[in-house]
């Protein structure tokens, strides 16, 4: 029989008639076994404060004992993925009948609220601004791909916005129900809605659920599903024809004010408190997530610090956006500024373990 255990010696199979004394002679004494000494950790062996500009390198954690995972990684690395889209551009719809006259919601179903003439003009101007932004990249074969809420006002916004693009520039579009407006509860009486919105301010803008409608937390749940779809589309290069490696792809998401704020909250892992301090985008306005030097998307590339502060970003959120500019996909910001603002005892104790 082969020697399967170098520590214990050859394995011996005993029948019931063999004595325990025989078995005892086959095992080494306790003194012959290696003694594992417990590893002592000191305050110097654990670092709790790292330079914010430094990013965490990816490791092979979990692969050493699973060679099949190494094989999968090698196979995946052999396939060159298409470049990530250069931007994710979030667009709020143009002025709608409901924005102009709140009583419209009492007689017209929310999904059927149309744009005003001003809203259509806002959307068309927005499309021209997006085109100018993209053309500054000096990439010849740039394209746009659209995701749009199925509500009438967002569909009309997209139609007006897309007038700034020739057909070859539009890679495609997808109507996405998860991008719809927060549900406020079917037909909406103006006075009742004013009362409900006042209660929401007392209860909390994120968790308050409108009767027969949704809370922002409900929107967060469905946006989480959409985000996973979007990330999958980005990873497999769904926007690119087979074999294409176009670095000039731009995604445009046409949706609603609260839905877009929740999308940003989910993407950047903002807290409820941080979400509640955000301001709504204006009609026909954009907020741009642009690919940074490491491949992640940051708001601080296209937008100035002043613009983002007006939108509602705090110091902690801005510091994280600065990190996003240089980080790579898959990296984590272990020196996340929110750690110090949330765990206030750090200031008293210093960097202790």
């Amino acid at each position: 029989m082969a020697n399967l255990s170098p520590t214990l010696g050859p394995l011996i199979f005993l029948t019931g008639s063999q004595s325990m004394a025989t078995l005892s002679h086959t095992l080494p004494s306790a003194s012959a076994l290696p003694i594992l000494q417990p590893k002592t950790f000191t305050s110097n062996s654990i670092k709790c404060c790292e330079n914010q500009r430094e990013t965490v390198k990816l490791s092979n954690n979990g692969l050493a004992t699973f060679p099949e995972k190494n094989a999968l990684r090698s196979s995946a690395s052999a396939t060159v993925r298409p470049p990530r889209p250069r931007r994710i551009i979030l667009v709020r719809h143009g002025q709608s009948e409901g924005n102009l006259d709140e009583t419209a919601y009492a007689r017209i179903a929310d999904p059927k609220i149309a744009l005003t003439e001003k809203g259509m003009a806002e959307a068309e101007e927005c499309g021209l601004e997006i085109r100018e932004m993209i053309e500054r990249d000096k990439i010849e074969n740039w394209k746009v791909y659209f995701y749009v809420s199925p509500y009438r006002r967002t569909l009309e916004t997209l139609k007006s916005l897309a007038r700034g693009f020739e057909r070859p520039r539009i890679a495609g579009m997808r109507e996405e129900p998860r991008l719809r407006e927060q549900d406020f509860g079917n037909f909406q009486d103006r006075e009742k809605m004013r009362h409900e919105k006042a209660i929401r301010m007392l209860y909390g803008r994120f968790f308050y659920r409108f009767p027969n409608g949704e809370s922002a937390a409900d929107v967060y749940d469905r946006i989480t599903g959409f985000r996973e779809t979007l990330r999958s589309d980005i990873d497999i290069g769904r926007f690119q024809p087979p074999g294409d490696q176009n670095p000039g792809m731009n995604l445009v998401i046409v949706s609603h004010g609260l839905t877009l704020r929740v999308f940003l909250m989910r993407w950047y892992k903002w807290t409820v408190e941080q979400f509640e301090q955000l301001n709504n985008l204006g009609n026909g306005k954009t907020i741009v997530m642009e690919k940074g030097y490491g491949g992640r998307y940051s708001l601080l590339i296209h937008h100035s610090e002043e613009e983002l502060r007006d939108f509602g970003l705090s110091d902690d959120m801005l510091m994280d956006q600065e990190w996003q500019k240089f980080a790579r996909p898959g990296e984590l910001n272990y020196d996340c500024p929110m750690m110090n603002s949330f765990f206030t005892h750090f200031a008293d104790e210093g960097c202790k373990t």
Side-chain angles (χ1 to χ4, degrees), residues 50-58 227 231 269 296 320 323-324 327-337:
E50 297 289 346
N51 189 323
Q52 183 188 346
R53 292 303 184 103
E54 294 180 359
T55 54
V56 180
K57 296 181 179 179
L58 295 175
R227 173 182 175 271
R231 289 187 61 180
K269 302 177 179 63
R296 293 176 75 110
D320 182 63
W323 178 84
Q324 301 278 351
R328 293 175 295 177
E331 294 178 340
L332 298 176
N333 186 0
Y334 280 100
D335 196 30
C336 177

Side-chain angles (χ1 to χ4, degrees), residues 19 49 52 64 117-118 135 148 208 228 235 240 242 304 316 337:
S19 67
C49 294
Q52 183 188 346
E117 289 187 8
K118 179 181 178 182
E135 288 180 335
V148 61
Y208 181 77
E228 295 309 308
D235 288 342
Q240 305 269 12
S304 68
D316 285 354

Side-chain angles (χ1 to χ4, degrees), residues 45-114:
S45 65
I46 301 177
K47 297 181 179 180
C48 66
C49 294
E50 297 289 346
N51 189 323
Q52 183 188 346
R53 292 303 184 103
E54 294 180 359
T55 54
V56 180
K57 296 181 179 179
L58 295 175
S59 69
N60 291 325
N61 183 32
L63 298 180
T65 55
F66 296 95
E68 66 274 15
K69 288 188 177 182
N70 285 303
L72 288 173
R73 172 172 280 192
S74 298
S75 174
S77 61
T79 303
V80 179
R81 289 184 175 181
R84 303 185 100 202
R86 191 170 184 85
R87 297 178 184 85
I88 302 174
I89 305 169
L90 310 183
V91 179
R92 187 188 175 200
H93 61 80
Q95 185 192 68
S96 71
E97 295 172 341
N99 297 137
L100 189 63
D101 178 12
E102 292 182 351
T103 63
Y105 295 109
R107 62 181 185 274
I108 305 173
D110 198 358
K112 298 179 180 179
I113 295 286

Side-chain angles (χ1 to χ4, degrees), residues 7-233:
T7 303
L8 298 180
L11 298 177
I12 301 176
F13 295 89
L14 302 178
T15 65
S17 60
Q18 291 175 292
S19 67
M20 292 300 295
T22 304
L23 177 62
S24 65
H25 287 298
T26 67
L27 298 174
S29 65
S31 61
L33 295 174
I35 299 176
L36 298 178
Q37 296 293 337
K39 187 175 180 180
T40 303
F41 291 94
T42 67
S43 60
N44 293 327
S45 65
I46 301 177
K47 297 181 179 180
C48 66
C49 294
E50 297 289 346
N51 189 323
Q52 183 188 346
R53 292 303 184 103
E54 294 180 359
T55 54
V56 180
K57 296 181 179 179
L58 295 175
S59 69
N60 291 325
N61 183 32
L63 298 180
T65 55
F66 296 95
E68 66 274 15
K69 288 188 177 182
N70 285 303
L72 288 173
R73 172 172 280 192
S74 298
S75 174
S77 61
T79 303
V80 179
R81 289 184 175 181
R84 303 185 100 202
R86 191 170 184 85
R87 297 178 184 85
I88 302 174
I89 305 169
L90 310 183
V91 179
R92 187 188 175 200
H93 61 80
Q95 185 192 68
S96 71
E97 295 172 341
N99 297 137
L100 189 63
D101 178 12
E102 292 182 351
T103 63
Y105 295 109
R107 62 181 185 274
I108 305 173
D110 198 358
K112 298 179 180 179
I113 295 286
L115 289 186
T116 63
E117 289 187 8
K118 179 181 178 182
M120 292 182 182
E122 289 172 338
E124 190 166 350
E125 181 181 357
C126 178
L128 294 175
E129 290 174 353
I130 291 174
R131 183 182 182 113
E132 290 176 4
M133 178 199 316
I134 296 172
E135 288 180 335
R136 286 196 291 268
D137 297 336
K138 305 298 183 182
I139 297 175
E140 183 177 350
N141 192 32
W142 61 265
K143 293 182 183 295
V144 291
Y145 188 99
F146 298 106
Y147 291 89
V148 61
S149 159
Y151 278 30
R152 179 176 175 180
R153 56 189 178 273
T154 43
L155 293 172
E156 290 180 347
T157 296
L158 177 55
K159 285 183 179 180
S160 295
L161 181 155
R163 289 176 183 167
F165 303 91
E166 302 84 6
R167 176 62 185 88
R169 295 294 188 186
I170 301 177
M173 64 89 68
R174 186 186 309 174
E175 184 178 289
E176 176 52 74
R178 289 172 292 184
L179 289 173
R180 68 189 185 274
E181 173 67 289
Q182 178 183 4
D183 188 345
F184 293 101
N186 303 321
F187 293 103
Q188 303 160 30
D189 177 81
R190 182 174 65 173
E191 294 306 318
K192 184 177 180 181
M193 284 302 299
R194 287 179 177 176
H195 176 69
E196 294 293 341
K197 288 181 179 180
I199 296 176
R200 179 179 63 172
M201 295 304 295
L202 294 174
Y203 191 89
R205 289 168 55 194
F206 186 75
F207 292 110
Y208 181 77
R209 179 180 287 117
F210 287 88
N212 301 315
E214 290 181 303
S215 65
D218 296 323
V219 178
Y220 184 97
D221 292 340
R222 58 175 158 90
I223 284 296
T224 294
F226 169 71
R227 173 182 175 271
E228 295 309 308
T229 298
L230 180 63
R231 289 187 61 180
S232 175
D233 288 350

